[in-house]
């Protein structure tokens, strides 16, 4: 609370101690103390055994002390989501809940399901009032499966209420087979389920959430990406089919200008309030580092940098990353020359780096013009906006062109999906443009997941998070000033029906799914059980070196996480996270 207060007042802790100030927090001190003591006791093997934490895929008596636990509990009240408990067993200033970026595994499935149900709501709003005859005339691309399903449902179903449509959407089935290759993130990838016995199933999305099955959510995310790609009237996927339009070049120029400006604005939002180093860190954080990608980025952003500076940059950003090639000075010299200024145009350089070319251009522009306004960027990028989209329509090397097109479309789709996620509390400036985001590759924070759960519990309204209740400066002096929390109304970010459908699906995770050990744990004084729901997720975060044919040559653990984001009753929600940092995570199977 003191650290947060220092941030609110823009004062270091030293100055804070010298203010004549009394502050109150929303934390419940007795409960905070009890939870902190409980989490510390979990390091004791005997206590861990008593509460059922020892066993297969759990802990052993030898490693209980290595696990860090973090817990946050919120209460919905009339003036916001009040933080009642926020603690861990580390006794360190670093806060896992809010200060981390962790792969929290299958908790990402809750975000994907939320986006999916919001898309179904959009389709309901657009089409529910139309007659079946009109709906049958709607042209739908073969790839846009969500729109196709929505239209078929509304044509065939007499009851067109949104609540019934959302329940039907949760009952849609997806294959759990890992036998398919997925083109995502610029290449072909394979995904696996946690349990091999799920491989032959085609569960409903409700069942896939309850049992945390990966492949249905990979395929659902692919449908969400395709819906996003094909939903706009002027998207690039539609333009590709327009080969015979005599106005094509003029149309393309307008499209490139408009679309390029839209994406520049999205990229600018993540950089605008940061200094140069923070901007560069943000850009590189969205890059999956390989020697070639780093070479393409560095030689574009810093074309005049020396070979020595280049070598330091590449090696620094590959620290801890296993690669299949040895980074000798000779190899770095070849990379420095091969990706030098003028060797590749902007679209090529972006494709090599697997970033949107306009994001790469904007980063370079901001390095040279750190105080530039958005209108200046738009004016300066007139040529680049045309250049970035021109290659989409070149006819040579069709297979390579198709690969680029799909990569570009996916990057653009994830920019839209990112905005949807941010609206419900996702805390970071970007998503990894890959279907693996559906199972956690883009990372998350426990506190942000708790905020999403609060929105779901609060019928789709994002309430203000309250930790500091009041400030009382200089009591009994002429300068006495009291500041109290403003009971601002929350903002609706999700339809009531979507929140209710998600609560129903999440309750099954506790009743019969991956969190069933807590079913029935919480009761009121009269014995009435409290309704409970949530989502589990495990992050086994590793650096792997891959050989020919996809063979894993080595695997090194970075950390391991297990998270449960939950609601209890009608007012309380939060997260519990177990976290093992560093190479010691290698020895854990929870």
């Amino acid at each position: 609370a003191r650290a947060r207060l220092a941030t609110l007042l823009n004062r270091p802790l030293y100055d804070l101690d010298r203010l004549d100030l009394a502050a109150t927090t929303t934390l419940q001190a007795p409960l905070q103390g009890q939870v902190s003591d409980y989490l510390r006791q979990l390091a004791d093997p005997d206590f861990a055994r008593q509460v059922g934490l020892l066993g297969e895929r759990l802990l052993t008596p030898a490693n209980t002390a290595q696990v860090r636990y973090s817990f946050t509990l919120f209460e919905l009240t009339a003036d916001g989501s009040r933080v009642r408990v926020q603690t861990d067993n580390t006794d360190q200033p670093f806060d896992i809940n809010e200060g981390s970026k962790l792969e929290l595994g299958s908790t990402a499935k809750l975000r994907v399901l939320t986006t999916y149900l919001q898309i179904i709501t959009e389709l309901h709003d657009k089409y529910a009032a139309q007659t079946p005859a009109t709906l049958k005339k709607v042209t739908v691309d073969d790839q846009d499966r969500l729109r196709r399903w929505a239209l078929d449902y509304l044509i065939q179903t007499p009851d067109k209420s949104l609540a019934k449509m959302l329940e039907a959407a949760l009952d849609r089935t997806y294959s759990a087979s890992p036998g398919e290759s997925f083109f995502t993130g610029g290449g072909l990838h394979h995904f696996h389920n946690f349990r091999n016995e799920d491989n032959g199933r085609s569960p409903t999305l409700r069942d896939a959430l309850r049992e945390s099955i990966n492949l249905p959510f990979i395929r659902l995310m692919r449908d969400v990406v395709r819906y996003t790609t094909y939903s706009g009237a002027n998207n690039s996927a539609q333009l590709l089919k327009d080969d015979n339009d005599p106005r094509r070049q003029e149309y393309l120029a307008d499209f490139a200008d408009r679309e390029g400006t839209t994406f520049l604005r999205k990229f600018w939002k993540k950089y605008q309030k940061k200094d140069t180093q923070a901007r560069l860190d943000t850009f590189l954080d969205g890059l999956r580092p390989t020697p070639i990608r780093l070479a393409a980025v560095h030689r574009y952003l810093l074309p005049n940098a020396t070979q020595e500076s280049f070598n330091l940059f590449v090696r620094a950003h590959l620290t801890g990353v296993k690669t299949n090639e040895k980074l000798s000075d000779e190899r770095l010299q070849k990379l420095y020359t091969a990706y030098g200024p003028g060797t590749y145009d902007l679209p090529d350089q972006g494709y090599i780096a697997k970033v949107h070319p306009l994001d790469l251009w904007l980063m370079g522009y901001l390095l040279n013009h750190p105080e530039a306004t958005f209108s200046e960027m738009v004016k300066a990028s007139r040529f680049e906006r045309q250049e970035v989209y021109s290659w989409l329509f070149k006819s040579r090397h069709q297979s390579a062109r198709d690969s680029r097109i799909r990569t570009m479309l996916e990057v653009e789709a994830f920019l839209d999906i990112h905005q949807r996620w941010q609206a419900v509390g996702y805390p970071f400036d970007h998503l990894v443009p890959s279907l693996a985001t559906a199972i956690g590759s883009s990372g998350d924070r426990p506190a942000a997941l708790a905020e999403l759960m609060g929105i779901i519990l609060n019928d789709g309204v994002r309430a203000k998070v309250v930790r500091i209740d009041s400030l009382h400066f200089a009591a009994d002096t002429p300068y006495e000033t009291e500041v109290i929390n403003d009971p601002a109304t929350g903002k609706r970010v999700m339809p009531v029906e979507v929140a209710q459908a998600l609560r129903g699906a999440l309750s099954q995770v506790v009743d019969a799914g991956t969190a069933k050990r807590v079913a029935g744990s919480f009761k009121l004084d009269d014995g009435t059980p409290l309704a409970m729901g949530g989502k589990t997720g495990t992050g086994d975060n590793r650096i792997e070196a891959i050989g020919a044919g996809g063979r894993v040559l080595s695997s090194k653990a970075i950390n391991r996480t297990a998270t449960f984001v939950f609601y209890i009753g009608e007012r309380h929600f939060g997260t519990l996270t177990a976290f093992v940092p560093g190479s010691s995570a290698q020895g854990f199977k929870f």
Side-chain angles (χ1 to χ4, degrees):
R2 279 166 41 79
R4 185 169 297 277
L5 189 56
T7 302
L8 284 171
L9 299 176
N10 196 24
R11 290 286 182 274
L13 289 173
Y14 181 88
D15 289 355
L16 193 68
D17 287 341
R18 282 147 185 81
L19 287 177
D20 183 353
L21 168 64
T24 61
T25 78
T26 61
L27 297 169
Q28 296 289 303
L31 185 58
Q32 174 97 352
Q34 288 175 344
V35 173
S36 302
D37 291 342
Y38 182 90
L39 294 180
R40 279 191 284 269
Q41 285 185 74
L42 295 177
D44 179 353
D46 292 333
F47 185 75
R49 183 180 288 106
Q50 286 176 35
V51 297
L53 286 187
L54 303 187
E56 186 180 358
R57 293 207 169 273
L58 292 168
L59 301 178
T60 68
N63 64 21
T64 53
Q66 297 177 55
V67 185
R68 300 179 183 181
Y69 298 95
S70 177
F71 180 75
T72 306
L73 181 71
F74 296 81
E75 181 182 6
L76 281 174
T77 65
D79 62 349
S81 297
R82 302 172 79 81
V83 182
R84 296 311 193 190
V85 178
Q86 182 166 345
T87 188
D88 53 45
N89 66 336
T90 63
D91 288 326
Q92 295 176 1
F94 176 68
D95 179 13
I96 295 170
N97 278 291
E98 291 189 281
S100 62
K101 182 176 185 179
L102 300 171
E103 285 197 22
L104 301 177
S106 292
T107 54
K109 293 170 186 170
L110 175 56
R111 293 201 183 276
V112 178
L113 198 66
T114 299
T115 301
Y116 165 64
L117 293 182
Q118 289 179 310
I119 287 171
I120 298 299
T121 302
E122 292 170 12
L123 292 167
H124 177 273
D125 293 346
K126 184 171 184 177
Y127 296 120
Q130 298 182 25
T131 65
T134 304
L135 295 177
K136 288 176 182 176
K137 296 176 183 177
V138 177
T139 302
V140 182
D141 192 279
D142 292 342
Q143 301 285 322
D144 192 354
R145 292 172 184 169
L146 299 186
R147 190 183 306 272
R148 180 73 272 158
W149 177 84
L151 288 168
D152 290 345
Y153 175 86
L154 293 169
I155 288 169
Q156 298 165 13
T157 309
D159 185 348
K160 293 178 170 52
S161 70
L162 177 57
K164 284 283 177 60
M165 189 171 179
L166 292 173
E167 291 300 316
L170 286 170
D171 289 330
R172 291 180 64 231
T173 60
Y174 277 87
S175 169
S177 169
E180 182 181 0
S181 299
F182 296 85
F183 184 89
T184 185
L188 282 178
H189 293 265
H190 292 85
F191 299 97
H192 304 281
N193 297 311
F194 178 69
R195 301 183 311 172
N196 289 335
E197 52 264 42
D198 291 326
N199 291 352
R201 298 175 59 189
S202 288
T204 65
L205 288 172
R206 198 187 304 275
D207 292 344
L209 182 78
R210 183 183 68 233
E211 300 170 46
S212 209
I213 307 173
N214 288 344
L215 267 300
F217 280 91
I218 294 292
R219 291 184 168 95
L220 176 61
M221 180 61 106
R222 181 174 62 183
D223 280 356
V224 168
V225 168
R226 287 174 175 174
Y227 168 82
T228 301
T229 299
Y230 288 93
S231 60
N234 294 312
N235 63 71
S236 39
Q238 293 295 336
L239 271 176
L240 284 172
K241 299 177 179 180
D242 200 15
D243 289 340
N244 299 318
D245 190 335
R247 300 168 299 165
R248 190 172 178 213
Q249 291 305 317
E250 179 185 347
Y251 189 51
L252 169 61
D254 290 343
F255 167 81
D257 189 66
R258 180 177 59 252
E259 203 76 346
T261 303
T262 298
F263 284 109
L264 268 182
R265 183 175 283 107
K266 290 180 179 180
F267 297 132
W268 169 233
K269 282 181 179 177
K270 65 180 180 178
Y271 299 131
Q272 64 184 113
K273 295 181 180 178
K274 297 177 179 176
D275 60 26
T276 296
Q277 186 58 51
R279 286 168 174 172
L280 193 57
D281 291 343
T282 298
F283 176 83
L284 293 170
D285 192 38
L287 188 75
R288 288 200 162 181
T290 67
I292 288 174
R293 291 178 189 179
L294 290 169
V297 165
H298 187 275
R299 297 296 281 134
Y300 181 85
L301 295 180
L302 302 164
N304 299 319
T306 63
Q307 175 79 58
E308 182 182 13
S309 173
F310 172 83
N311 293 2
L312 287 171
F313 174 86
V314 175
R315 283 177 170 145
H317 288 90
L318 286 174
T319 301
V321 178
K322 290 278 185 76
T323 66
N324 295 334
E325 54 181 302
K326 194 172 182 181
L327 276 181
S328 62
D329 287 345
E330 183 183 1
R331 171 63 177 147
L332 286 170
Q333 188 173 359
K334 288 181 179 177
L335 289 172
Y336 180 83
T337 303
Y339 296 97
T343 308
Y344 297 97
D345 60 18
L346 176 60
D348 284 340
Q349 209 86 333
Y351 179 72
I352 292 164
K354 295 295 183 286
V355 297
H356 197 290
L358 287 176
D359 196 6
L360 184 62
W361 176 87
L362 180 59
M363 190 67 247
Y365 186 79
L366 288 172
L367 288 175
N368 293 311
H369 307 87
E371 303 300 323
T373 64
F374 180 71
S375 60
E376 288 170 344
M377 293 171 215
V378 173
K379 187 175 180 180
S381 64
R382 182 174 291 124
F383 170 76
E384 285 77 12
R385 296 201 305 278
Q386 297 295 323
E387 183 187 22
V388 161
Y389 288 92
S390 63
W391 56 261
L392 286 170
F393 299 87
K394 294 175 183 175
S395 59
R396 292 185 306 124
H397 312 301
Q398 183 166 350
S399 62
R401 180 168 59 90
D402 288 347
S403 173
R404 287 185 169 202
I405 289 168
R406 284 191 286 171
T407 300
M408 173 73 89
L409 293 179
E410 186 175 54
V411 168
E412 293 181 352
F414 270 93
L415 289 168
D416 182 77
I417 293 166
H418 175 250
Q419 287 189 321
R420 292 175 180 271
W421 283 28
Q422 274 196 318
V424 291
Y426 184 73
F428 301 116
D429 291 326
H430 60 269
L431 292 175
V432 176
S434 165
L435 299 182
T437 287
I439 52 176
S441 71
S442 284
D444 217 322
R445 282 185 179 141
L449 277 169
E451 186 169 11
L452 172 58
M453 188 61 75
I455 293 167
I456 293 168
L457 186 60
N458 200 25
D459 281 338
V461 175
R462 185 177 182 179
K464 181 177 63 175
V465 175
V466 184
R467 288 181 173 85
I468 304 293
D469 240 351
S470 67
L471 305 176
H472 194 168
F473 294 90
D476 302 321
T477 77
Y479 305 101
E480 182 171 10
T481 305
E482 191 166 5
V483 182
I484 59 171
N485 178 44
D486 177 17
T489 56
K491 179 183 178 183
R492 176 163 297 285
V493 294
M494 179 189 299
V496 174
E497 294 88 346
V498 171
Q500 291 172 344
L502 286 168
R503 281 206 302 275
L506 291 167
S507 69
Q508 293 190 7
V509 175
V510 169
D511 292 341
T514 54
K516 61 187 175 186
R517 286 183 60 176
V518 296
S521 297
F522 300 95
K523 296 181 175 66
L524 297 175
D525 290 342
D526 63 3
T528 305
L530 282 168
M532 187 172 184
K535 183 72 191 84
T536 60
T538 303
D540 182 25
N541 305 307
R542 295 173 175 270
I543 297 169
E544 293 185 335
I546 310 295
R551 186 165 51 94
V552 178
L553 302 176
S554 65
S555 179
K556 177 185 175 185
I558 305 171
N559 61 56
R560 190 171 182 89
T561 61
T563 297
F564 182 46
V565 55
F566 61 85
Y567 69 84
I568 304 176
E570 297 179 352
R571 297 200 320 275
H572 291 89
F573 61 97
T575 54
L576 175 63
T577 299
F579 174 57
V580 181
S583 58
S584 59
Q586 191 83 29
F588 288 81
K589 303 291 184 186
F590 63 72

